[in-house]
Amino acid sequence: MLELKQLCISYGDLQTVKDVSFTVNSGQIVGIVGESGSGKSTTIRSILGILPGNGKITSGEILFDHQNLAKYTKKDWTRVRGREIAMIFQHPAESMDPVVRIGDQFYESMRAVQKTDRRTAMARAKELLTELQLEDTERILRSYPFELSGGMCQRVAIAMAMANGSRLLLADEPTSALDVTVQAQTIKVLLGLREKYGTSILLVTHNMGVVAHMADMVGVMYHGELVEWGSRDQVLNYPTHEYTRRLIRAIPKMQQGEDNFGERDTDCK
């Protein structure tokens, strides 16, 4: 579905992403992990053509269904953003309009992509919010973003991203601003999207524990380079780069049987 080929990105004269290559297959969850400043958020933003400031792709390709997104014009992007590829951000409330009610934002985001009326949009919004285990959907749709908790805002953002049936979901640090309990709920929601809709997910995070719990394939970024790539089990159990080994040693150890990220076998050899 998605293939990055020797992608290079710069901000002015500073190169921040260097020759990054990886793939995301249909129905697959790919996790890109690395510390702040490693280039992972820049990489994921480039896929949707939303690099901030003077950021630009200097070389390489971003192929989505064999079309090079790196060459897309503003008009081209209207056929992809929100339709085929959607994104949830690290701080979901900040990606919403603070003075517009949640229901109105659902309607606007759906109307921008497809021909729909308000009644249809609200029915779809309630359906998605219910699937994401949010109760009192009427109240949520009448609320402003600041009236919702962080976990509720995160699930609302996921519902908005899925409202138009996007096949690929880009998730930029979707759990970092949440407490541990809400992190676990958010991860279950994302796994449920793949299970029910076959949604492909590209997740970037600094938390190796999150990646260990949900990703099929894992990439490790360090100083703008992809220094490790492989299946979750390969990367966690047989890391080849010292930086990856340090990240794995930093995964918190939790007691057996708790509802946490340690449910999978992530013992490292």
Side-chain angles (χ1 to χ4, degrees), residues 34-207:
E35 62 192 28
S36 297
S38 63
K40 60 188 187 300
S41 290
T42 291
T43 299
I44 199 172
R45 283 174 171 270
S46 73
I47 295 169
L48 208 54
I50 53 172
L51 286 172
N54 61 345
K56 64 177 181 179
I57 297 171
T58 54
S59 63
E61 295 179 317
I62 303 173
L63 302 178
F64 180 73
D65 284 346
H66 309 291
Q67 300 295 313
N68 187 8
L69 302 182
K71 302 294 185 182
Y72 266 28
T73 64
K74 184 176 181 180
K75 183 178 179 180
D76 293 329
W77 278 117
T78 61
R79 302 195 305 267
V80 176
R81 288 194 189 119
R83 298 174 185 266
E84 300 291 336
I85 306 174
M87 186 166 180
I88 57 174
F89 295 87
Q90 180 175 359
H91 301 288
E94 294 178 7
S95 67
M96 301 176 192
D97 191 324
V99 297
V100 177
R101 297 181 191 274
I102 297 297
D104 293 330
Q105 296 193 53
F106 259 106
Y107 178 44
E108 289 175 8
S109 65
M110 293 183 67
R111 187 178 59 177
V113 171
Q114 56 182 295
K115 292 182 179 180
T116 187
D117 56 49
R118 186 177 183 85
R119 179 178 295 180
T120 302
M122 291 302 95
R124 177 63 172 155
K126 291 176 184 178
E127 176 188 3
L128 287 168
L129 293 175
T130 300
E131 287 182 6
L132 297 179
Q133 300 177 7
L134 286 174
E135 300 177 355
D136 198 2
T137 57
E138 289 281 359
R139 181 188 67 82
I140 291 173
L141 293 173
R142 290 196 307 269
S143 299
Y144 294 97
F146 68 85
E147 295 180 303
L148 304 179
S149 68
M152 293 176 74
C153 271
Q154 189 64 279
R155 279 180 280 181
V156 166
I158 293 171
M160 285 187 183
M162 296 305 300
N164 293 304
S166 300
R167 295 188 293 131
L168 174 62
L169 181 62
L170 308 177
D172 187 5
E173 298 276 12
T175 63
S176 65
L178 308 175
D179 62 41
V180 174
T181 301
V182 181
Q183 283 186 35
Q185 292 173 349
T186 302
I187 288 171
K188 287 180 180 179
V189 165
L190 292 173
L191 290 171
L193 291 177
R194 193 260 294 270
E195 183 70 23
K196 182 168 184 177
Y197 298 106
T199 307
S200 300
I201 300 173
L202 175 58
L203 164 79
V204 301
T205 179
H206 64 272
N207 190 329

